[in-house]
């Protein structure tokens, strides 16, 4: 297994090198320890456990770099994103790094370009959430395409309690995921909610026993990684791009991309394999 460590905390030239804050495993470890890891699945782990994996500038920049690199790697077919330890996916943006910010400094140093890089990834991304996913941590999970939540997960947009509001997509993505009335209540009160409520609200794909969270996410990623990669990217891109469009426009884009997939070898292979009653062999072309 290749285990890489991406950028560590932002050390000065004379400071000792600190432990990496984001780890990348490609391939990911095997789900439930069975066999070898799926070669197409990458595991990205946020590791700042002493502060519940709070997202500072070093984490955001390392996450963005890791996602860009995996997105350009033809061997990678799906990404699982998780937080190290059992207490948190991420407890939000780092409050200590924001307390003295001004509009000008938050605009330039708020890491918005990293958030954009993370959401621009074309590969499917599955969040494996245990413990706290609050504020920017909840927004990071909402940026993922699917959320596998452990039954110990706690979600929330508590920014209002800090005198601010969600700034990395929470007002948009939470509202689209759960509807305006529920998003208003959650964002304006800042209250947390558990995994079962998140499931009822339609925000998470599945709730699983806490200790199985990562394995279930890896399993799901493995199933997606076994699908034809161009079709997977196309389907994700259309769903993501059309959320904010009128239905008619979304249907038009869906039609165009659907039609384009008939130019791929995988389309012919998939249908031929069905007719010949055999497993398809995907080439990604
Ligand atoms: C910095 C944080 C942190 C955060 C926790 N810690 N969350 N540090 N930024 N977001 C640190 C604590 O200071 C503490 O360090 C250590 O992690 C453990 O946390 P405790 O509070 O002691 O744990 P506990 O009592 O179990 O409470 C857990 C918690 C609480 C409920 C998650 O930590 C909490 O409310 N955290 C803040 C959650 C939040 O408001 N998130 C939104 C941030 S704003 P020390 O050194 O003190 O022991 C945001 C905006 C996004 O995300 C905008 C993006 C553009």
């Amino acid at each position: 297994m290749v285990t890489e460590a991406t950028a560590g905390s932002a050390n000065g030239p004379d400071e000792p090198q600190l432990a990496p804050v984001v780890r990348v495993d490609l391939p990911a470890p095997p789900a439930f320890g069975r066999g070898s890891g799926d070669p197409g699945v990458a595991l990205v782990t946020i590791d700042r456990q002493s502060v519940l994996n709070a997202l500072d500038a070093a984490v955001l920049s390392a996450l963005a770099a890791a996602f860009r690199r995996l997105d350009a790697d033809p061997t990678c077919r799906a990404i699982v994103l998780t937080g190290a330890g059992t207490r948190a996916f991420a407890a939000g943006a780092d409050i200590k790094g924001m307390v003295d910010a001004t509009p000008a400094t938050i605009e330039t140093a708020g890491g918005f370009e990293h958030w954009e890089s993370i959401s621009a990834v074309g590969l499917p991304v599955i969040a494996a959430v245990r413990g706290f996913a609050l504020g920017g941590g909840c927004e990071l999970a909402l940026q993922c395409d699917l959320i596998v939540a452990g039954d110990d997960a706690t979600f929330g947009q508590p920014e209002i309690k800090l005198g601010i509001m969600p700034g990395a997509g929470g007002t948009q993505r939470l509202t689209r995921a759960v509807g305006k009335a529920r998003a208003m209540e959650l964002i304006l009160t800042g209250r947390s909610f558990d995994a079962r409520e998140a499931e009822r609200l339609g925000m998470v794909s599945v709730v699983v026993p806490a200790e199985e969270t990562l394995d279930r996410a890896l399993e799901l990623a493995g199933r997606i990684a076994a699908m034809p990669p161009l079709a997977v990217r196309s389907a994700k891109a259309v769903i993501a791009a059309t959320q904010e469009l009128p239905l008619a426009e979304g249907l038009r884009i869906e039609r165009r991309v659907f039609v384009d997939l008939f130019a791929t070898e995988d389309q012919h292979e998939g249908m031929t394999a069905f007719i010949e009653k055999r497993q398809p062999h995907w080439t990604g072309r």
Side-chain angles (χ1 to χ4, degrees):
M1 181 194 307
V2 179
T3 301
E4 298 173 51
T6 55
S9 294
N11 299 337
D14 301 327
E15 291 173 55
Q17 200 58 37
L18 300 177
V21 288
V22 171
R23 294 194 305 276
V24 178
D25 292 275
L26 178 64
F32 295 103
R34 290 182 204 130
S36 51
D38 190 308
V41 176
L43 173 62
V44 178
T45 307
I46 302 165
D47 194 354
R48 283 186 86 210
Q49 292 187 61
S50 63
V51 287
L52 303 179
N53 300 324
L55 306 166
D56 66 358
V59 171
L60 286 172
S61 128
L63 271 180
F67 274 40
R68 274 196 304 269
R69 196 156 43 78
L70 291 170
D71 209 23
D73 182 337
T75 67
C76 188
R77 301 284 175 82
I79 300 172
V80 173
L81 174 63
T82 197
T86 58
R87 291 198 62 206
F89 176 74
D94 195 304
I95 298 169
K96 289 167 196 155
M98 290 187 297
V99 61
D100 292 321
T102 66
T105 62
I106 202 82
E107 178 89 53
T108 51
F112 295 108
E113 71 281 16
H114 301 315
W115 286 101
E116 279 162 22
S117 290
I118 294 165
S119 68
V121 67
L123 287 170
V125 184
I126 299 171
V129 177
R130 290 197 64 176
F132 297 110
L134 300 176
C138 189
E139 291 171 305
L140 185 60
L142 284 164
Q143 283 200 7
C144 298
D145 303 304
L146 300 97
I147 300 177
V148 174
D151 57 16
D152 61 351
T154 299
F155 297 90
Q157 299 288 167
E159 290 92 337
I160 205 90
K161 298 179 187 169
L162 297 168
I164 56 169
M165 58 176 267
T171 65
Q172 305 304 300
R173 291 197 179 92
L174 185 65
T175 307
R176 283 168 170 76
V178 308
K180 177 189 154 194
R182 287 157 169 165
M184 282 283 188
E185 188 258 322
L186 293 171
I187 290 172
L188 299 187
T189 66
R191 83 169 165 88
S192 299
F193 49 103
D194 65 16
R196 290 288 168 208
E197 182 171 358
E199 185 183 39
R200 277 199 304 280
L201 292 172
M203 198 186 118
V204 307
S205 312
V206 60
V207 179
V208 301
E211 61 283 0
E212 292 181 15
T213 308
L214 181 57
D215 289 307
R216 293 282 294 271
L218 291 170
E219 217 169 49
L220 184 54
R223 291 215 304 279
I224 294 172
M227 296 296 136
L230 293 176
V232 168
R233 277 183 181 266
S234 297
K236 165 172 172 163
V238 170
I239 294 169
T242 54
Q243 289 300 291
E244 57 262 48
L245 296 178
L247 179 65
E249 181 72 359
L251 289 173
R252 200 183 58 73
I253 293 174
E254 180 195 69
R255 174 84 52 90
R256 197 187 68 226
V257 180
F258 173 76
V259 166
D260 285 349
L261 282 172
F262 283 76
T264 66
E265 289 177 16
D266 281 346
Q267 171 270 327
H268 194 256
E269 167 64 9
M271 294 186 181
T272 305
F274 173 81
I275 293 163
E276 294 177 353
K277 299 187 190 300
R278 61 171 173 80
Q279 286 299 312
H281 171 69
W282 308 121
T283 60
R285 290 193 295 270

